[in-house]
Amino acid sequence: MAPLPAGIRFIISFSRDQWYRAFIFVLTFLLYASFHLSRKPISIVKGELHRYCTALNEGDVEFSSQSQRASDTPRQQPPDNETDCSWAPFDQDNYQQLLGALDYSFLCAYAIGMYLSGIIGERLPIRYYLTSGMLASGAFTALFGLGYFYNIHSFGFYVVTQIINGLVQTTGWPSVVTCLGNWFGKGRRGLIMGVWNSHTSVGNILGSLIAGYWVSTCWGLSFIVPGAIVAAMGIVCFLFLIEHPKDIACSSSLVAHSRGHENGAHRFRLQKQVFVDDENKPLDPEIQCLLLSDGKHPVHQSHVVVLPADGGGSMAAISFTGALRIPGVIEFSLCLLFAKLVSYTFLFWLPLYITSVDHLDARQAGELSTLFDVGGIFGGILAGVISDRLEKRASTCGLMLLLAAPTLYMFSTISRMGLEATIAMLLLSGALVSGPYALITTAVSADLGTHKSLKGNSHALATVTAIIDGTGSVGAALGPLLAGLLSPSGWNNVFYMLMVADACALLFLIRLIHKELSCPGSAAGDQVLFKEH
């Protein structure tokens, strides 16, 4: 018999469940990357919405203006403005406040909607909930870009579009985190979710590149193309997302577990041979194979027993106040408020800052800003690895926040020295700013959502995730708004605001850090360490 090819041997070396886990990892990664891909265009297009054309001579400008009046193509400037290429209403002196209001509209709606999203999401099928949100998000992202083609200059139109888009995008984060939490346990959670959370940076990078490709020629496509991508990924979600391992047949290579999982109106239970002596042994709740209801008689692996679901066997979804009582939720939520304030200020204002400091056009500034997200990928992974090794989530976040504050000051001074200095500071700042943000929104949220005080109630994960990210989104809404208000008085004031926010984020972790450092091991799983069990 001929030996199997090396590629086939590699494929069959992994179990069926391992392939499913890898598939869900990649799928949820791509789904949420598409959400961030659709958020990035507004920061790229800002430089085009308010752009002076002083480099053109007056005759060229007048000729261009007359040509546009004579044609039916969309105009990129008001008819009474001959020296400004800006798009009304962003052609006024208060354009920075108007652009900041667009960011605030989206992020404020996102923050408010996030608190409701987790509560709604854990009561609905994740696949349907996430699919509807992605289709709606794609539609409203594209609608913003249609303002270019239909020559819309109403500020209210763009604000309302941002508000609705912010609300529908709240379906994403609780859904993907809950789904990933269902498939992956606590072992190496920091590393796994650190790698997985790079979807944020990958989405930002792709969004910058896609939006930057059309920003100088047809900025409407900078929104329509990302909107189409999000909607297409929503269809992929509907066709392929598996919410929980219980929804598919289990592999014989997995260890048993004694609790039945519900699937709709029935429970599906699989098990290799299990005897009465095994009843009292604690079994892994993350394994998909399930016992018969009597827990005594063995059943062959290929047998599936379908039992009617009993109403009293399942745990009710956790309340909002109940989630707040989980140790560490409030502290990490407030920390994320300020950490996300810093991160989203960079997300929405960095290209415009690069344009003003390095005198680059909108497309070049957008491409250069992706380096901040490249640094964020390494920062998120590094934070996950360190927190896994030390088993100290709060201390890892605190260390990176402590280093981020002086780095932001260095960024504001060194980045003015030239393009090379800007590149270096973008990478370093991205790693330190995004590291704590990535760790809290993924591994910490999953730890808290499966905290042992919940006694196995997995319904809490979506609510806890939504509370933490929703509180963080309040900061995400405030940061860009404050940047819009402070930037006219000088970019240094914006960086001072970011440094103060970083210090506040660290302040809210002081108690948790002290507990981790003073009680190593004893506080694990009780307060903030969440030592692996």
Side-chain angles (χ1 to χ4, degrees), residues 122 186 259 315-319 321-327 329 445-465 525-526 530:
E122 68 183 23
K186 290 187 177 182
R259 282 195 311 128
M315 293 186 178
I318 192 171
S319 66
T321 54
L324 287 177
R325 288 196 293 268
I326 299 174
V329 167
S445 296
D447 285 346
L448 292 169
T450 56
H451 191 263
K452 71 178 185 179
S453 65
L454 298 172
K455 299 180 180 179
N457 185 359
S458 60
H459 290 290
L461 185 54
T463 299
V464 170
T465 300
D526 294 323
F530 316 112

Short mmCIF file of all heavy atoms in Angstrom, two decimals, residues 122 186 259 315-319 321-327 329 445-465 525-526 530:
data_model
loop_
_atom_site.label_atom_id
_atom_site.label_comp_id
_atom_site.label_asym_id
_atom_site.label_seq_id
_atom_site.Cartn_x
_atom_site.Cartn_y
_atom_site.Cartn_z
N GLU A 122 -28.26 37.58 23.98
CA GLU A 122 -28.22 36.29 24.66
C GLU A 122 -29.61 35.63 24.72
O GLU A 122 -29.73 34.50 25.16
CB GLU A 122 -27.66 36.44 26.07
CG GLU A 122 -28.55 37.22 27.01
CD GLU A 122 -27.89 37.40 28.37
OE1 GLU A 122 -26.66 37.34 28.46
OE2 GLU A 122 -28.64 37.61 29.34
N LYS A 186 -10.60 28.17 28.85
CA LYS A 186 -9.71 29.13 29.49
C LYS A 186 -8.24 28.88 29.23
O LYS A 186 -7.41 29.75 29.42
CB LYS A 186 -9.95 29.13 31.01
CG LYS A 186 -11.29 29.73 31.41
CD LYS A 186 -11.38 29.86 32.91
CE LYS A 186 -12.68 30.54 33.32
NZ LYS A 186 -12.77 30.71 34.78
N ARG A 259 -23.32 17.43 31.95
CA ARG A 259 -24.48 18.29 31.81
C ARG A 259 -25.05 18.22 30.41
O ARG A 259 -24.32 18.27 29.43
CB ARG A 259 -24.14 19.76 32.12
CG ARG A 259 -24.03 20.06 33.59
CD ARG A 259 -24.06 21.55 33.83
NE ARG A 259 -23.14 22.26 32.98
CZ ARG A 259 -23.49 23.29 32.23
NH1 ARG A 259 -24.73 23.69 32.18
NH2 ARG A 259 -22.61 23.91 31.51
N MET A 315 -30.65 27.56 32.90
CA MET A 315 -30.50 28.73 33.75
C MET A 315 -30.99 29.97 33.02
O MET A 315 -30.81 30.11 31.82
CB MET A 315 -29.03 28.92 34.13
CG MET A 315 -28.49 27.84 35.03
SD MET A 315 -26.81 28.22 35.57
CE MET A 315 -26.50 26.82 36.65
N ALA A 316 -31.60 30.86 33.77
CA ALA A 316 -32.09 32.10 33.17
C ALA A 316 -30.93 33.02 32.86
O ALA A 316 -29.87 32.95 33.48
CB ALA A 316 -33.06 32.79 34.14
N ALA A 317 -31.14 33.88 31.86
CA ALA A 317 -30.11 34.85 31.52
C ALA A 317 -29.88 35.78 32.70
O ALA A 317 -30.81 36.16 33.41
CB ALA A 317 -30.54 35.64 30.28
N ILE A 318 -28.64 36.17 32.90
CA ILE A 318 -28.29 37.01 34.03
C ILE A 318 -28.81 38.43 33.84
O ILE A 318 -28.91 38.92 32.71
CB ILE A 318 -26.75 37.02 34.23
CG1 ILE A 318 -26.38 37.64 35.59
CG2 ILE A 318 -26.07 37.77 33.10
CD1 ILE A 318 -24.92 37.48 35.93
N SER A 319 -29.17 39.09 34.93
CA SER A 319 -29.66 40.46 34.85
C SER A 319 -28.49 41.43 34.73
O SER A 319 -27.34 41.07 34.98
CB SER A 319 -30.49 40.80 36.09
OG SER A 319 -29.65 40.80 37.25
N THR A 321 -27.87 44.09 36.65
CA THR A 321 -27.27 44.33 37.96
C THR A 321 -26.51 43.11 38.45
O THR A 321 -25.50 43.23 39.15
CB THR A 321 -28.35 44.72 38.98
OG1 THR A 321 -29.37 43.71 38.99
CG2 THR A 321 -28.98 46.06 38.61
N GLY A 322 -27.01 41.93 38.10
CA GLY A 322 -26.29 40.71 38.48
C GLY A 322 -24.93 40.63 37.84
O GLY A 322 -23.94 40.21 38.47
N ALA A 323 -24.83 41.06 36.58
CA ALA A 323 -23.54 41.07 35.89
C ALA A 323 -22.59 42.08 36.52
O ALA A 323 -21.37 41.84 36.61
CB ALA A 323 -23.74 41.38 34.41
N LEU A 324 -23.12 43.21 36.98
CA LEU A 324 -22.27 44.22 37.61
C LEU A 324 -21.68 43.73 38.92
O LEU A 324 -20.62 44.22 39.35
CB LEU A 324 -23.08 45.50 37.87
CG LEU A 324 -23.44 46.35 36.65
CD1 LEU A 324 -24.29 47.54 37.07
CD2 LEU A 324 -22.18 46.84 35.94
N ARG A 325 -22.33 42.77 39.57
CA ARG A 325 -21.83 42.28 40.85
C ARG A 325 -20.70 41.26 40.70
O ARG A 325 -20.09 40.87 41.69
CB ARG A 325 -22.98 41.67 41.66
CG ARG A 325 -23.96 42.69 42.22
CD ARG A 325 -24.82 42.09 43.30
NE ARG A 325 -25.71 41.07 42.79
CZ ARG A 325 -26.96 41.30 42.37
NH1 ARG A 325 -27.44 42.53 42.40
NH2 ARG A 325 -27.70 40.31 41.91
N ILE A 326 -20.43 40.84 39.48
CA ILE A 326 -19.31 39.92 39.27
C ILE A 326 -18.01 40.65 39.59
O ILE A 326 -17.78 41.76 39.10
CB ILE A 326 -19.28 39.42 37.81
CG1 ILE A 326 -20.56 38.66 37.49
CG2 ILE A 326 -18.07 38.53 37.57
CD1 ILE A 326 -20.69 38.26 36.04
N PRO A 327 -17.15 40.09 40.44
CA PRO A 327 -15.92 40.78 40.83
C PRO A 327 -15.07 41.18 39.63
O PRO A 327 -14.74 40.35 38.78
CB PRO A 327 -15.19 39.75 41.70
CG PRO A 327 -16.27 38.85 42.20
CD PRO A 327 -17.28 38.78 41.09
N VAL A 329 -15.86 43.42 37.19
CA VAL A 329 -16.56 43.96 36.03
C VAL A 329 -16.53 45.49 36.03
O VAL A 329 -16.23 46.12 35.01
CB VAL A 329 -18.02 43.45 35.97
CG1 VAL A 329 -18.85 44.25 34.97
CG2 VAL A 329 -18.05 41.98 35.59
N SER A 445 -12.91 39.90 29.38
CA SER A 445 -14.37 39.80 29.27
C SER A 445 -14.82 38.34 29.32
O SER A 445 -15.82 38.01 29.97
CB SER A 445 -14.85 40.44 27.97
OG SER A 445 -14.59 41.83 27.95
N ALA A 446 -14.10 37.46 28.62
CA ALA A 446 -14.45 36.04 28.65
C ALA A 446 -14.23 35.45 30.04
O ALA A 446 -15.01 34.61 30.50
CB ALA A 446 -13.62 35.29 27.61
N ASP A 447 -13.15 35.85 30.73
CA ASP A 447 -12.91 35.38 32.09
C ASP A 447 -14.06 35.78 33.02
O ASP A 447 -14.57 34.98 33.80
CB ASP A 447 -11.60 35.97 32.62
CG ASP A 447 -10.38 35.31 32.01
OD1 ASP A 447 -10.54 34.24 31.40
OD2 ASP A 447 -9.28 35.86 32.14
N LEU A 448 -14.44 37.05 32.94
CA LEU A 448 -15.50 37.54 33.81
C LEU A 448 -16.85 36.92 33.46
O LEU A 448 -17.66 36.63 34.34
CB LEU A 448 -15.59 39.07 33.70
CG LEU A 448 -14.40 39.85 34.27
CD1 LEU A 448 -14.48 41.31 33.87
CD2 LEU A 448 -14.33 39.72 35.78
N GLY A 449 -17.10 36.71 32.17
CA GLY A 449 -18.36 36.13 31.74
C GLY A 449 -18.51 34.67 32.09
O GLY A 449 -19.61 34.12 32.04
N THR A 450 -17.39 34.00 32.43
CA THR A 450 -17.43 32.60 32.86
C THR A 450 -16.88 32.45 34.27
O THR A 450 -16.36 31.40 34.63
CB THR A 450 -16.61 31.72 31.88
OG1 THR A 450 -15.27 32.24 31.79
CG2 THR A 450 -17.23 31.71 30.50
N HIS A 451 -16.98 33.52 35.05
CA HIS A 451 -16.47 33.52 36.42
C HIS A 451 -17.15 32.44 37.25
O HIS A 451 -18.33 32.14 37.06
CB HIS A 451 -16.70 34.90 37.04
CG HIS A 451 -15.99 35.10 38.35
ND1 HIS A 451 -16.62 34.93 39.55
CD2 HIS A 451 -14.72 35.44 38.63
CE1 HIS A 451 -15.77 35.17 40.53
NE2 HIS A 451 -14.61 35.49 40.00
N LYS A 452 -16.41 31.83 38.17
CA LYS A 452 -16.95 30.69 38.92
C LYS A 452 -18.11 31.08 39.83
O LYS A 452 -18.90 30.22 40.22
CB LYS A 452 -15.85 30.04 39.74
CG LYS A 452 -15.36 30.85 40.93
CD LYS A 452 -14.31 30.05 41.69
CE LYS A 452 -13.88 30.76 42.96
NZ LYS A 452 -12.87 29.98 43.71
N SER A 453 -18.26 32.37 40.13
CA SER A 453 -19.40 32.79 40.95
C SER A 453 -20.71 32.61 40.20
O SER A 453 -21.78 32.61 40.82
CB SER A 453 -19.23 34.26 41.35
OG SER A 453 -19.27 35.10 40.21
N LEU A 454 -20.64 32.45 38.88
CA LEU A 454 -21.85 32.25 38.08
C LEU A 454 -22.33 30.81 38.11
O LEU A 454 -23.41 30.50 37.62
CB LEU A 454 -21.59 32.66 36.62
CG LEU A 454 -21.24 34.14 36.43
CD1 LEU A 454 -20.81 34.38 35.00
CD2 LEU A 454 -22.43 35.01 36.78
N LYS A 455 -21.48 29.90 38.62
CA LYS A 455 -21.83 28.49 38.75
C LYS A 455 -22.27 27.88 37.43
O LYS A 455 -23.29 27.19 37.33
CB LYS A 455 -22.93 28.31 39.80
CG LYS A 455 -22.49 28.79 41.19
CD LYS A 455 -23.59 28.61 42.22
CE LYS A 455 -23.13 29.09 43.60
NZ LYS A 455 -24.19 28.96 44.62
N GLY A 456 -21.52 28.18 36.40
CA GLY A 456 -21.76 27.54 35.10
C GLY A 456 -22.81 28.21 34.24
O GLY A 456 -23.14 27.69 33.18
N ASN A 457 -23.35 29.35 34.65
CA ASN A 457 -24.36 30.02 33.84
C ASN A 457 -23.69 30.71 32.66
O ASN A 457 -23.20 31.83 32.77
CB ASN A 457 -25.11 31.05 34.68
CG ASN A 457 -26.25 31.69 33.92
OD1 ASN A 457 -26.48 31.40 32.74
ND2 ASN A 457 -26.97 32.58 34.58
N SER A 458 -23.67 30.05 31.51
CA SER A 458 -22.99 30.59 30.33
C SER A 458 -23.75 31.74 29.69
O SER A 458 -23.23 32.42 28.82
CB SER A 458 -22.80 29.48 29.29
OG SER A 458 -24.06 28.96 28.90
N HIS A 459 -25.00 31.98 30.13
CA HIS A 459 -25.78 33.07 29.56
C HIS A 459 -25.18 34.44 29.90
O HIS A 459 -25.54 35.44 29.30
CB HIS A 459 -27.23 33.03 30.09
CG HIS A 459 -28.03 31.88 29.56
ND1 HIS A 459 -28.44 31.80 28.24
CD2 HIS A 459 -28.49 30.76 30.15
CE1 HIS A 459 -29.13 30.69 28.06
NE2 HIS A 459 -29.17 30.03 29.20
N ALA A 460 -24.30 34.49 30.90
CA ALA A 460 -23.77 35.78 31.35
C ALA A 460 -22.76 36.36 30.39
O ALA A 460 -22.50 37.57 30.43
CB ALA A 460 -23.12 35.61 32.73
N LEU A 461 -22.17 35.55 29.52
CA LEU A 461 -21.04 36.01 28.72
C LEU A 461 -21.40 37.19 27.83
O LEU A 461 -20.66 38.18 27.76
CB LEU A 461 -20.49 34.86 27.88
CG LEU A 461 -19.23 35.15 27.06
CD1 LEU A 461 -18.12 35.70 27.94
CD2 LEU A 461 -18.75 33.88 26.36
N ALA A 462 -22.53 37.13 27.13
CA ALA A 462 -22.91 38.22 26.24
C ALA A 462 -23.19 39.50 27.02
O ALA A 462 -22.81 40.60 26.60
CB ALA A 462 -24.13 37.83 25.41
N THR A 463 -23.87 39.38 28.17
CA THR A 463 -24.19 40.56 28.96
C THR A 463 -22.94 41.21 29.54
O THR A 463 -22.77 42.43 29.48
CB THR A 463 -25.16 40.19 30.11
OG1 THR A 463 -26.37 39.67 29.55
CG2 THR A 463 -25.48 41.41 30.96
N VAL A 464 -22.04 40.41 30.10
CA VAL A 464 -20.79 40.94 30.66
C VAL A 464 -19.96 41.60 29.56
O VAL A 464 -19.42 42.71 29.74
CB VAL A 464 -19.99 39.83 31.35
CG1 VAL A 464 -18.59 40.31 31.71
CG2 VAL A 464 -20.71 39.36 32.60
N THR A 465 -19.85 40.95 28.42
CA THR A 465 -19.10 41.51 27.31
C THR A 465 -19.69 42.84 26.87
O THR A 465 -18.96 43.81 26.60
CB THR A 465 -19.10 40.53 26.12
OG1 THR A 465 -18.49 39.31 26.52
CG2 THR A 465 -18.34 41.09 24.95
N GLY A 525 -9.25 33.44 40.36
CA GLY A 525 -10.61 32.98 40.14
C GLY A 525 -11.62 33.65 41.05
O GLY A 525 -12.81 33.54 40.85
N ASP A 526 -11.17 34.38 42.10
CA ASP A 526 -12.10 35.04 43.00
C ASP A 526 -12.30 36.50 42.65
O ASP A 526 -13.38 37.02 42.69
CB ASP A 526 -11.61 34.93 44.45
CG ASP A 526 -11.60 33.49 44.94
OD1 ASP A 526 -12.52 32.75 44.57
OD2 ASP A 526 -10.68 33.12 45.68
N PHE A 530 -8.28 34.94 37.83
CA PHE A 530 -8.93 33.93 37.02
C PHE A 530 -7.94 32.84 36.62
O PHE A 530 -7.75 32.54 35.46
CB PHE A 530 -9.55 34.55 35.76
CG PHE A 530 -10.28 35.81 36.06
CD1 PHE A 530 -9.82 37.03 35.61
CD2 PHE A 530 -11.41 35.78 36.86
CE1 PHE A 530 -10.49 38.19 35.91
CE2 PHE A 530 -12.08 36.94 37.15
CZ PHE A 530 -11.62 38.13 36.69
#
